[in-house]
Amino acid sequence: MGAYKFISELYRKKQSDLMRYLLRIRCWQYRQLSSVHRASRPTRPDKARRLGYKAKQGFVVYRVRVRRGGRKRPVPKGCTFGKPKTQGINQLKFQRSLQAVAEERVGRKCGALRVLNSYWVGQDSTHKFYEVILVDPFHKAVRRDPQINWLCQSNKKHRELRGLTSASKKSRGLGKGHGYSHTTGGSRRAFWKRITTVQMRRKR
């Protein structure tokens, strides 16, 4: 068994004594650091490589801390002013995942870099920790690499803010197969609009 395979097998057994100890120590360390900080190297090199990371110039890894829990509606004194259907405050869920939120925060902080992907590295009762892979689109080592220079195109700016990264796409319901029949045509809205619009010829 190779090293990367060994690491990936370890992470599949998160309740083993080794992983419980490792994750507890790491979470303590991450809590002492700022919410968004640069990591010297990926904590999970096997996962990072599977998501496109290369240990060369132009590639950066940032670690980010996100608070867990649902989304409380931000209204003054709990007054929503509307019908009973929209009066909920507490038991609401945010449409996007915490991983997508983590990518967005790193993308805003490092505006010149492009978000490639991200992965989970740990969690405790209050926070979830993710590592985000970023790429410098103006570095020659990236621009000359045919495997990654697609990210240098101008229409790849801030993919994380437009729901184009892997974590963001999951909440948009995009995919192939019978489970994704409500987003054929690009999005839920496009699908709904197409099936509800009646198109008739003018003279019939």
Side-chain angles (χ1 to χ4, degrees):
M1 186 185 287
Y4 289 137
K5 179 68 174 170
F6 183 75
I7 297 172
S8 63
E9 287 296 322
L10 275 180
Y11 269 88
R12 291 177 66 182
K13 305 281 191 295
K14 292 185 178 64
Q15 285 190 318
S16 65
D17 289 350
L18 171 65
M19 285 308 297
R20 284 172 66 179
Y21 175 73
L22 257 182
L23 292 173
R24 194 169 78 240
I25 297 295
R26 280 181 185 159
C27 281
W28 176 86
Q29 181 195 2
Y30 298 160
R31 279 200 304 272
Q32 316 311 312
L33 304 169
S34 57
S35 60
V36 179
H37 59 271
R38 184 175 173 180
S40 58
R41 59 174 59 85
T43 307
R44 302 173 62 184
D46 62 313
K47 184 70 172 172
R49 282 178 59 82
R50 268 181 283 158
L51 297 177
Y53 173 80
K54 298 277 184 69
K56 68 175 192 178
Q57 292 176 323
F59 283 79
V60 192
V61 175
Y62 268 76
R63 198 177 293 120
V64 56
R65 182 175 75 228
V66 188
R67 283 187 81 90
R68 296 176 64 177
R71 178 181 183 273
K72 188 176 180 181
R73 195 191 297 276
V75 287
K77 298 181 181 176
C79 305
T80 54
F81 300 110
K83 299 188 175 175
K85 183 181 187 298
T86 60
Q87 279 173 349
I89 304 283
N90 282 324
Q91 297 186 350
L92 307 176
K93 279 76 182 170
F94 191 43
Q95 285 294 304
R96 291 185 298 127
S97 65
L98 293 178
Q99 187 173 351
V101 173
E103 288 180 350
E104 179 181 333
R105 288 183 185 171
V106 178
R108 287 186 191 279
K109 192 175 179 70
C110 310
L113 304 178
R114 306 274 163 91
V115 173
L116 178 61
N117 225 319
S118 63
Y119 53 91
W120 177 95
V121 286
Q123 66 186 49
D124 57 19
S125 62
T126 314
H127 302 104
K128 282 198 176 191
F129 303 94
Y130 296 96
E131 283 185 0
V132 183
I133 305 165
L134 298 126
V135 177
D136 182 1
F138 294 102
H139 200 289
K140 287 286 184 269
V142 173
R143 295 180 83 87
R144 291 169 182 164
D145 186 349
Q147 287 185 317
I148 196 65
N149 63 8
W150 58 271
L151 206 53
C152 301
Q153 298 169 7
S154 59
N155 62 357
K156 300 295 186 293
K157 294 176 183 175
H158 290 291
R159 298 164 66 238
E160 72 286 350
L161 299 179
R162 297 180 288 136
L164 301 179
T165 56
S166 182
S168 303
K169 274 189 171 181
K170 284 176 183 168
S171 60
R172 290 172 58 196
L174 300 176
K176 292 183 178 178
H178 72 278
Y180 299 99
S181 57
H182 290 294
T183 51
T184 47
S187 65
R188 290 190 184 95
R189 184 179 176 81
F191 170 77
W192 170 84
K193 190 173 183 181
R194 194 175 69 252
I195 63 168
T196 52
T197 304
V198 180
Q199 291 184 335
M200 296 180 182
R201 297 178 63 180
R202 184 170 163 228
K203 295 190 169 68
R204 61 188 190 276

PDB file of all heavy atoms in Angstrom, residues 45-78:
ATOM      1  N   PRO A  45      -2.416  15.597   1.777  1.00  0.00           N
ATOM      2  CA  PRO A  45      -1.823  15.688   0.434  1.00  0.00           C
ATOM      3  C   PRO A  45      -2.496  14.787  -0.587  1.00  0.00           C
ATOM      4  O   PRO A  45      -2.576  15.131  -1.771  1.00  0.00           O
ATOM      5  CB  PRO A  45      -0.360  15.285   0.653  1.00  0.00           C
ATOM      6  CG  PRO A  45      -0.320  14.615   1.979  1.00  0.00           C
ATOM      7  CD  PRO A  45      -1.446  15.166   2.788  1.00  0.00           C
ATOM      8  N   ASP A  46      -3.011  13.641  -0.142  1.00  0.00           N
ATOM      9  CA  ASP A  46      -3.685  12.736  -1.081  1.00  0.00           C
ATOM     10  C   ASP A  46      -4.964  13.364  -1.623  1.00  0.00           C
ATOM     11  O   ASP A  46      -5.232  13.335  -2.824  1.00  0.00           O
ATOM     12  CB  ASP A  46      -3.994  11.408  -0.392  1.00  0.00           C
ATOM     13  CG  ASP A  46      -4.942  11.591   0.800  1.00  0.00           C
ATOM     14  OD1 ASP A  46      -4.697  12.502   1.617  1.00  0.00           O
ATOM     15  OD2 ASP A  46      -5.927  10.837   0.903  1.00  0.00           O
ATOM     16  N   LYS A  47      -5.764  13.974  -0.720  1.00  0.00           N
ATOM     17  CA  LYS A  47      -7.023  14.607  -1.130  1.00  0.00           C
ATOM     18  C   LYS A  47      -6.742  15.845  -1.987  1.00  0.00           C
ATOM     19  O   LYS A  47      -7.424  16.074  -2.994  1.00  0.00           O
ATOM     20  CB  LYS A  47      -7.810  14.993   0.126  1.00  0.00           C
ATOM     21  CG  LYS A  47      -9.175  15.574  -0.136  1.00  0.00           C
ATOM     22  CD  LYS A  47     -10.118  14.528  -0.653  1.00  0.00           C
ATOM     23  CE  LYS A  47     -11.537  15.048  -0.725  1.00  0.00           C
ATOM     24  NZ  LYS A  47     -12.432  14.097  -1.400  1.00  0.00           N
ATOM     25  N   ALA A  48      -5.747  16.625  -1.588  1.00  0.00           N
ATOM     26  CA  ALA A  48      -5.418  17.843  -2.337  1.00  0.00           C
ATOM     27  C   ALA A  48      -4.996  17.503  -3.766  1.00  0.00           C
ATOM     28  O   ALA A  48      -5.399  18.172  -4.722  1.00  0.00           O
ATOM     29  CB  ALA A  48      -4.308  18.606  -1.622  1.00  0.00           C
ATOM     30  N   ARG A  49      -4.198  16.457  -3.929  1.00  0.00           N
ATOM     31  CA  ARG A  49      -3.750  16.072  -5.266  1.00  0.00           C
ATOM     32  C   ARG A  49      -4.907  15.566  -6.117  1.00  0.00           C
ATOM     33  O   ARG A  49      -4.967  15.814  -7.321  1.00  0.00           O
ATOM     34  CB  ARG A  49      -2.647  15.014  -5.177  1.00  0.00           C
ATOM     35  CG  ARG A  49      -1.282  15.589  -4.817  1.00  0.00           C
ATOM     36  CD  ARG A  49      -0.241  14.505  -4.698  1.00  0.00           C
ATOM     37  NE  ARG A  49      -0.097  13.765  -5.932  1.00  0.00           N
ATOM     38  CZ  ARG A  49       0.641  14.155  -6.987  1.00  0.00           C
ATOM     39  NH1 ARG A  49       1.280  15.301  -6.928  1.00  0.00           N
ATOM     40  NH2 ARG A  49       0.729  13.408  -8.062  1.00  0.00           N
ATOM     41  N   ARG A  50      -5.836  14.860  -5.475  1.00  0.00           N
ATOM     42  CA  ARG A  50      -7.001  14.376  -6.236  1.00  0.00           C
ATOM     43  C   ARG A  50      -7.872  15.529  -6.721  1.00  0.00           C
ATOM     44  O   ARG A  50      -8.580  15.402  -7.719  1.00  0.00           O
ATOM     45  CB  ARG A  50      -7.837  13.434  -5.364  1.00  0.00           C
ATOM     46  CG  ARG A  50      -7.436  11.972  -5.515  1.00  0.00           C
ATOM     47  CD  ARG A  50      -8.298  11.078  -4.660  1.00  0.00           C
ATOM     48  NE  ARG A  50      -7.892  11.148  -3.271  1.00  0.00           N
ATOM     49  CZ  ARG A  50      -8.696  10.824  -2.255  1.00  0.00           C
ATOM     50  NH1 ARG A  50      -9.925  10.445  -2.483  1.00  0.00           N
ATOM     51  NH2 ARG A  50      -8.262  10.893  -1.014  1.00  0.00           N
ATOM     52  N   LEU A  51      -7.817  16.655  -5.998  1.00  0.00           N
ATOM     53  CA  LEU A  51      -8.629  17.821  -6.372  1.00  0.00           C
ATOM     54  C   LEU A  51      -7.864  18.803  -7.256  1.00  0.00           C
ATOM     55  O   LEU A  51      -8.366  19.887  -7.539  1.00  0.00           O
ATOM     56  CB  LEU A  51      -9.130  18.532  -5.119  1.00  0.00           C
ATOM     57  CG  LEU A  51     -10.063  17.709  -4.231  1.00  0.00           C
ATOM     58  CD1 LEU A  51     -10.444  18.486  -2.988  1.00  0.00           C
ATOM     59  CD2 LEU A  51     -11.313  17.306  -4.990  1.00  0.00           C
ATOM     60  N   GLY A  52      -6.640  18.461  -7.657  1.00  0.00           N
ATOM     61  CA  GLY A  52      -5.925  19.295  -8.610  1.00  0.00           C
ATOM     62  C   GLY A  52      -4.695  19.995  -8.085  1.00  0.00           C
ATOM     63  O   GLY A  52      -4.049  20.735  -8.832  1.00  0.00           O
ATOM     64  N   TYR A  53      -4.366  19.816  -6.819  1.00  0.00           N
ATOM     65  CA  TYR A  53      -3.200  20.504  -6.244  1.00  0.00           C
ATOM     66  C   TYR A  53      -1.899  19.902  -6.776  1.00  0.00           C
ATOM     67  O   TYR A  53      -1.777  18.694  -6.950  1.00  0.00           O
ATOM     68  CB  TYR A  53      -3.234  20.388  -4.718  1.00  0.00           C
ATOM     69  CG  TYR A  53      -2.003  20.921  -4.018  1.00  0.00           C
ATOM     70  CD1 TYR A  53      -1.836  22.279  -3.802  1.00  0.00           C
ATOM     71  CD2 TYR A  53      -1.003  20.051  -3.584  1.00  0.00           C
ATOM     72  CE1 TYR A  53      -0.716  22.773  -3.162  1.00  0.00           C
ATOM     73  CE2 TYR A  53       0.128  20.531  -2.932  1.00  0.00           C
ATOM     74  CZ  TYR A  53       0.263  21.894  -2.731  1.00  0.00           C
ATOM     75  OH  TYR A  53       1.383  22.373  -2.105  1.00  0.00           O
ATOM     76  N   LYS A  54      -0.920  20.780  -7.053  1.00  0.00           N
ATOM     77  CA  LYS A  54       0.428  20.350  -7.412  1.00  0.00           C
ATOM     78  C   LYS A  54       1.411  21.084  -6.494  1.00  0.00           C
ATOM     79  O   LYS A  54       1.224  22.268  -6.217  1.00  0.00           O
ATOM     80  CB  LYS A  54       0.756  20.722  -8.865  1.00  0.00           C
ATOM     81  CG  LYS A  54      -0.134  20.071  -9.921  1.00  0.00           C
ATOM     82  CD  LYS A  54       0.341  18.682 -10.256  1.00  0.00           C
ATOM     83  CE  LYS A  54      -0.485  18.069 -11.368  1.00  0.00           C
ATOM     84  NZ  LYS A  54      -0.266  18.729 -12.665  1.00  0.00           N
ATOM     85  N   ALA A  55       2.418  20.380  -6.022  1.00  0.00           N
ATOM     86  CA  ALA A  55       3.406  20.999  -5.127  1.00  0.00           C
ATOM     87  C   ALA A  55       4.416  21.774  -5.955  1.00  0.00           C
ATOM     88  O   ALA A  55       5.577  21.384  -6.104  1.00  0.00           O
ATOM     89  CB  ALA A  55       4.094  19.934  -4.275  1.00  0.00           C
ATOM     90  N   LYS A  56       3.973  22.878  -6.541  1.00  0.00           N
ATOM     91  CA  LYS A  56       4.872  23.709  -7.348  1.00  0.00           C
ATOM     92  C   LYS A  56       4.445  25.167  -7.246  1.00  0.00           C
ATOM     93  O   LYS A  56       3.422  25.489  -6.629  1.00  0.00           O
ATOM     94  CB  LYS A  56       4.869  23.237  -8.796  1.00  0.00           C
ATOM     95  CG  LYS A  56       3.574  23.449  -9.551  1.00  0.00           C
ATOM     96  CD  LYS A  56       3.763  23.036 -10.998  1.00  0.00           C
ATOM     97  CE  LYS A  56       2.611  23.491 -11.857  1.00  0.00           C
ATOM     98  NZ  LYS A  56       2.830  23.139 -13.259  1.00  0.00           N
ATOM     99  N   GLN A  57       5.242  26.025  -7.853  1.00  0.00           N
ATOM    100  CA  GLN A  57       4.974  27.456  -7.764  1.00  0.00           C
ATOM    101  C   GLN A  57       3.615  27.788  -8.375  1.00  0.00           C
ATOM    102  O   GLN A  57       3.211  27.201  -9.375  1.00  0.00           O
ATOM    103  CB  GLN A  57       6.075  28.229  -8.483  1.00  0.00           C
ATOM    104  CG  GLN A  57       7.421  28.150  -7.790  1.00  0.00           C
ATOM    105  CD  GLN A  57       8.496  28.853  -8.583  1.00  0.00           C
ATOM    106  OE1 GLN A  57       8.497  28.810  -9.804  1.00  0.00           O
ATOM    107  NE2 GLN A  57       9.420  29.487  -7.900  1.00  0.00           N
ATOM    108  N   GLY A  58       2.941  28.757  -7.771  1.00  0.00           N
ATOM    109  CA  GLY A  58       1.639  29.175  -8.283  1.00  0.00           C
ATOM    110  C   GLY A  58       0.467  28.545  -7.552  1.00  0.00           C
ATOM    111  O   GLY A  58      -0.666  28.995  -7.709  1.00  0.00           O
ATOM    112  N   PHE A  59       0.712  27.487  -6.766  1.00  0.00           N
ATOM    113  CA  PHE A  59      -0.349  26.832  -6.004  1.00  0.00           C
ATOM    114  C   PHE A  59      -0.219  27.201  -4.525  1.00  0.00           C
ATOM    115  O   PHE A  59       0.871  27.146  -3.955  1.00  0.00           O
ATOM    116  CB  PHE A  59      -0.263  25.309  -6.155  1.00  0.00           C
ATOM    117  CG  PHE A  59      -0.784  24.805  -7.472  1.00  0.00           C
ATOM    118  CD1 PHE A  59      -0.006  24.886  -8.613  1.00  0.00           C
ATOM    119  CD2 PHE A  59      -2.045  24.256  -7.569  1.00  0.00           C
ATOM    120  CE1 PHE A  59      -0.470  24.423  -9.821  1.00  0.00           C
ATOM    121  CE2 PHE A  59      -2.523  23.787  -8.775  1.00  0.00           C
ATOM    122  CZ  PHE A  59      -1.733  23.874  -9.907  1.00  0.00           C
ATOM    123  N   VAL A  60      -1.342  27.565  -3.900  1.00  0.00           N
ATOM    124  CA  VAL A  60      -1.365  27.993  -2.510  1.00  0.00           C
ATOM    125  C   VAL A  60      -2.497  27.251  -1.795  1.00  0.00           C
ATOM    126  O   VAL A  60      -3.522  26.944  -2.410  1.00  0.00           O
ATOM    127  CB  VAL A  60      -1.621  29.516  -2.393  1.00  0.00           C
ATOM    128  CG1 VAL A  60      -1.359  30.002  -0.995  1.00  0.00           C
ATOM    129  CG2 VAL A  60      -0.787  30.286  -3.389  1.00  0.00           C
ATOM    130  N   VAL A  61      -2.310  26.984  -0.508  1.00  0.00           N
ATOM    131  CA  VAL A  61      -3.364  26.370   0.305  1.00  0.00           C
ATOM    132  C   VAL A  61      -3.685  27.301   1.471  1.00  0.00           C
ATOM    133  O   VAL A  61      -2.780  27.725   2.197  1.00  0.00           O
ATOM    134  CB  VAL A  61      -2.935  24.983   0.830  1.00  0.00           C
ATOM    135  CG1 VAL A  61      -3.984  24.433   1.773  1.00  0.00           C
ATOM    136  CG2 VAL A  61      -2.712  24.020  -0.314  1.00  0.00           C
ATOM    137  N   TYR A  62      -4.962  27.638   1.623  1.00  0.00           N
ATOM    138  CA  TYR A  62      -5.432  28.440   2.749  1.00  0.00           C
ATOM    139  C   TYR A  62      -6.368  27.595   3.607  1.00  0.00           C
ATOM    140  O   TYR A  62      -7.160  26.819   3.075  1.00  0.00           O
ATOM    141  CB  TYR A  62      -6.176  29.686   2.262  1.00  0.00           C
ATOM    142  CG  TYR A  62      -5.285  30.897   2.103  1.00  0.00           C
ATOM    143  CD1 TYR A  62      -4.430  31.014   1.018  1.00  0.00           C
ATOM    144  CD2 TYR A  62      -5.305  31.925   3.035  1.00  0.00           C
ATOM    145  CE1 TYR A  62      -3.602  32.121   0.870  1.00  0.00           C
ATOM    146  CE2 TYR A  62      -4.497  33.034   2.899  1.00  0.00           C
ATOM    147  CZ  TYR A  62      -3.648  33.122   1.816  1.00  0.00           C
ATOM    148  OH  TYR A  62      -2.829  34.212   1.690  1.00  0.00           O
ATOM    149  N   ARG A  63      -6.264  27.787   4.925  1.00  0.00           N
ATOM    150  CA  ARG A  63      -7.147  27.087   5.853  1.00  0.00           C
ATOM    151  C   ARG A  63      -8.148  28.086   6.396  1.00  0.00           C
ATOM    152  O   ARG A  63      -7.795  29.220   6.720  1.00  0.00           O
ATOM    153  CB  ARG A  63      -6.324  26.468   6.978  1.00  0.00           C
ATOM    154  CG  ARG A  63      -7.045  25.379   7.755  1.00  0.00           C
ATOM    155  CD  ARG A  63      -6.147  24.754   8.809  1.00  0.00           C
ATOM    156  NE  ARG A  63      -5.044  24.009   8.221  1.00  0.00           N
ATOM    157  CZ  ARG A  63      -3.753  24.297   8.442  1.00  0.00           C
ATOM    158  NH1 ARG A  63      -3.412  25.306   9.219  1.00  0.00           N
ATOM    159  NH2 ARG A  63      -2.807  23.571   7.880  1.00  0.00           N
ATOM    160  N   VAL A  64      -9.403  27.660   6.525  1.00  0.00           N
ATOM    161  CA  VAL A  64     -10.451  28.599   6.941  1.00  0.00           C
ATOM    162  C   VAL A  64     -11.342  27.933   7.984  1.00  0.00           C
ATOM    163  O   VAL A  64     -11.578  26.724   7.947  1.00  0.00           O
ATOM    164  CB  VAL A  64     -11.277  29.077   5.713  1.00  0.00           C
ATOM    165  CG1 VAL A  64     -11.860  27.916   4.960  1.00  0.00           C
ATOM    166  CG2 VAL A  64     -12.367  30.051   6.113  1.00  0.00           C
ATOM    167  N   ARG A  65     -11.814  28.748   8.913  1.00  0.00           N
ATOM    168  CA  ARG A  65     -12.681  28.281   9.995  1.00  0.00           C
ATOM    169  C   ARG A  65     -14.069  28.888   9.814  1.00  0.00           C
ATOM    170  O   ARG A  65     -14.205  30.104   9.639  1.00  0.00           O
ATOM    171  CB  ARG A  65     -12.077  28.723  11.330  1.00  0.00           C
ATOM    172  CG  ARG A  65     -12.842  28.269  12.554  1.00  0.00           C
ATOM    173  CD  ARG A  65     -12.088  28.646  13.822  1.00  0.00           C
ATOM    174  NE  ARG A  65     -12.179  30.071  14.121  1.00  0.00           N
ATOM    175  CZ  ARG A  65     -11.133  30.832  14.423  1.00  0.00           C
ATOM    176  NH1 ARG A  65      -9.912  30.329  14.438  1.00  0.00           N
ATOM    177  NH2 ARG A  65     -11.299  32.113  14.697  1.00  0.00           N
ATOM    178  N   VAL A  66     -15.096  28.047   9.845  1.00  0.00           N
ATOM    179  CA  VAL A  66     -16.480  28.505   9.670  1.00  0.00           C
ATOM    180  C   VAL A  66     -17.308  28.014  10.855  1.00  0.00           C
ATOM    181  O   VAL A  66     -17.171  26.862  11.282  1.00  0.00           O
ATOM    182  CB  VAL A  66     -17.090  27.959   8.357  1.00  0.00           C
ATOM    183  CG1 VAL A  66     -18.443  28.590   8.099  1.00  0.00           C
ATOM    184  CG2 VAL A  66     -16.172  28.189   7.184  1.00  0.00           C
ATOM    185  N   ARG A  67     -18.158  28.883  11.373  1.00  0.00           N
ATOM    186  CA  ARG A  67     -19.023  28.471  12.485  1.00  0.00           C
ATOM    187  C   ARG A  67     -20.119  27.540  11.990  1.00  0.00           C
ATOM    188  O   ARG A  67     -20.723  27.776  10.934  1.00  0.00           O
ATOM    189  CB  ARG A  67     -19.658  29.685  13.164  1.00  0.00           C
ATOM    190  CG  ARG A  67     -18.715  30.422  14.081  1.00  0.00           C
ATOM    191  CD  ARG A  67     -19.432  31.508  14.852  1.00  0.00           C
ATOM    192  NE  ARG A  67     -20.148  30.979  16.002  1.00  0.00           N
ATOM    193  CZ  ARG A  67     -19.598  30.853  17.215  1.00  0.00           C
ATOM    194  NH1 ARG A  67     -18.338  31.194  17.416  1.00  0.00           N
ATOM    195  NH2 ARG A  67     -20.303  30.393  18.219  1.00  0.00           N
ATOM    196  N   ARG A  68     -20.379  26.513  12.775  1.00  0.00           N
ATOM    197  CA  ARG A  68     -21.399  25.541  12.397  1.00  0.00           C
ATOM    198  C   ARG A  68     -22.789  26.034  12.799  1.00  0.00           C
ATOM    199  O   ARG A  68     -22.928  26.980  13.566  1.00  0.00           O
ATOM    200  CB  ARG A  68     -21.121  24.203  13.092  1.00  0.00           C
ATOM    201  CG  ARG A  68     -19.825  23.566  12.674  1.00  0.00           C
ATOM    202  CD  ARG A  68     -19.549  22.295  13.449  1.00  0.00           C
ATOM    203  NE  ARG A  68     -20.555  21.279  13.182  1.00  0.00           N
ATOM    204  CZ  ARG A  68     -20.523  20.055  13.690  1.00  0.00           C
ATOM    205  NH1 ARG A  68     -19.553  19.712  14.517  1.00  0.00           N
ATOM    206  NH2 ARG A  68     -21.450  19.181  13.410  1.00  0.00           N
ATOM    207  N   GLY A  69     -23.796  25.364  12.258  1.00  0.00           N
ATOM    208  CA  GLY A  69     -25.168  25.679  12.644  1.00  0.00           C
ATOM    209  C   GLY A  69     -25.968  26.261  11.494  1.00  0.00           C
ATOM    210  O   GLY A  69     -25.438  26.573  10.429  1.00  0.00           O
ATOM    211  N   GLY A  70     -27.267  26.392  11.719  1.00  0.00           N
ATOM    212  CA  GLY A  70     -28.160  26.917  10.693  1.00  0.00           C
ATOM    213  C   GLY A  70     -28.057  28.432  10.582  1.00  0.00           C
ATOM    214  O   GLY A  70     -27.220  29.072  11.215  1.00  0.00           O
ATOM    215  N   ARG A  71     -28.956  28.984   9.798  1.00  0.00           N
ATOM    216  CA  ARG A  71     -28.937  30.433   9.574  1.00  0.00           C
ATOM    217  C   ARG A  71     -30.140  31.071  10.263  1.00  0.00           C
ATOM    218  O   ARG A  71     -31.281  30.684  10.006  1.00  0.00           O
ATOM    219  CB  ARG A  71     -28.996  30.730   8.079  1.00  0.00           C
ATOM    220  CG  ARG A  71     -29.022  32.218   7.760  1.00  0.00           C
ATOM    221  CD  ARG A  71     -29.116  32.462   6.272  1.00  0.00           C
ATOM    222  NE  ARG A  71     -29.064  33.880   5.967  1.00  0.00           N
ATOM    223  CZ  ARG A  71     -30.112  34.673   5.948  1.00  0.00           C
ATOM    224  NH1 ARG A  71     -31.319  34.209   6.252  1.00  0.00           N
ATOM    225  NH2 ARG A  71     -29.975  35.954   5.641  1.00  0.00           N
ATOM    226  N   LYS A  72     -29.885  32.026  11.152  1.00  0.00           N
ATOM    227  CA  LYS A  72     -30.966  32.761  11.798  1.00  0.00           C
ATOM    228  C   LYS A  72     -31.348  33.950  10.927  1.00  0.00           C
ATOM    229  O   LYS A  72     -30.472  34.632  10.394  1.00  0.00           O
ATOM    230  CB  LYS A  72     -30.517  33.232  13.179  1.00  0.00           C
ATOM    231  CG  LYS A  72     -31.625  33.838  14.006  1.00  0.00           C
ATOM    232  CD  LYS A  72     -31.144  34.203  15.396  1.00  0.00           C
ATOM    233  CE  LYS A  72     -32.267  34.818  16.201  1.00  0.00           C
ATOM    234  NZ  LYS A  72     -31.825  35.214  17.541  1.00  0.00           N
ATOM    235  N   ARG A  73     -32.639  34.178  10.788  1.00  0.00           N
ATOM    236  CA  ARG A  73     -33.076  35.285   9.933  1.00  0.00           C
ATOM    237  C   ARG A  73     -32.747  36.619  10.597  1.00  0.00           C
ATOM    238  O   ARG A  73     -33.139  36.869  11.747  1.00  0.00           O
ATOM    239  CB  ARG A  73     -34.583  35.189   9.678  1.00  0.00           C
ATOM    240  CG  ARG A  73     -35.040  36.081   8.518  1.00  0.00           C
ATOM    241  CD  ARG A  73     -36.542  36.183   8.460  1.00  0.00           C
ATOM    242  NE  ARG A  73     -37.218  34.915   8.215  1.00  0.00           N
ATOM    243  CZ  ARG A  73     -37.407  34.392   7.010  1.00  0.00           C
ATOM    244  NH1 ARG A  73     -36.941  34.995   5.946  1.00  0.00           N
ATOM    245  NH2 ARG A  73     -38.063  33.249   6.872  1.00  0.00           N
ATOM    246  N   PRO A  74     -32.020  37.489   9.906  1.00  0.00           N
ATOM    247  CA  PRO A  74     -31.611  38.768  10.521  1.00  0.00           C
ATOM    248  C   PRO A  74     -32.709  39.823  10.460  1.00  0.00           C
ATOM    249  O   PRO A  74     -32.753  40.651   9.561  1.00  0.00           O
ATOM    250  CB  PRO A  74     -30.394  39.177   9.675  1.00  0.00           C
ATOM    251  CG  PRO A  74     -30.652  38.569   8.334  1.00  0.00           C
ATOM    252  CD  PRO A  74     -31.463  37.328   8.567  1.00  0.00           C
ATOM    253  N   VAL A  75     -33.622  39.787  11.434  1.00  0.00           N
ATOM    254  CA  VAL A  75     -34.705  40.776  11.484  1.00  0.00           C
ATOM    255  C   VAL A  75     -34.712  41.432  12.867  1.00  0.00           C
ATOM    256  O   VAL A  75     -34.353  40.804  13.866  1.00  0.00           O
ATOM    257  CB  VAL A  75     -36.080  40.132  11.200  1.00  0.00           C
ATOM    258  CG1 VAL A  75     -36.213  39.773   9.735  1.00  0.00           C
ATOM    259  CG2 VAL A  75     -36.301  38.914  12.068  1.00  0.00           C
ATOM    260  N   PRO A  76     -35.126  42.703  12.950  1.00  0.00           N
ATOM    261  CA  PRO A  76     -35.095  43.404  14.252  1.00  0.00           C
ATOM    262  C   PRO A  76     -36.166  42.883  15.214  1.00  0.00           C
ATOM    263  O   PRO A  76     -37.338  42.832  14.865  1.00  0.00           O
ATOM    264  CB  PRO A  76     -35.357  44.871  13.868  1.00  0.00           C
ATOM    265  CG  PRO A  76     -36.072  44.800  12.560  1.00  0.00           C
ATOM    266  CD  PRO A  76     -35.555  43.584  11.857  1.00  0.00           C
ATOM    267  N   LYS A  77     -35.737  42.454  16.406  1.00  0.00           N
ATOM    268  CA  LYS A  77     -36.630  42.003  17.487  1.00  0.00           C
ATOM    269  C   LYS A  77     -37.546  40.856  17.055  1.00  0.00           C
ATOM    270  O   LYS A  77     -38.642  40.693  17.598  1.00  0.00           O
ATOM    271  CB  LYS A  77     -37.466  43.170  18.014  1.00  0.00           C
ATOM    272  CG  LYS A  77     -36.627  44.277  18.615  1.00  0.00           C
ATOM    273  CD  LYS A  77     -37.499  45.391  19.139  1.00  0.00           C
ATOM    274  CE  LYS A  77     -36.637  46.499  19.716  1.00  0.00           C
ATOM    275  NZ  LYS A  77     -37.431  47.649  20.150  1.00  0.00           N
ATOM    276  N   GLY A  78     -37.145  40.102  16.055  1.00  0.00           N
ATOM    277  CA  GLY A  78     -37.944  38.952  15.623  1.00  0.00           C
ATOM    278  C   GLY A  78     -39.192  39.321  14.858  1.00  0.00           C
ATOM    279  O   GLY A  78     -40.092  38.500  14.691  1.00  0.00           O
TER     280      GLY A  78
END
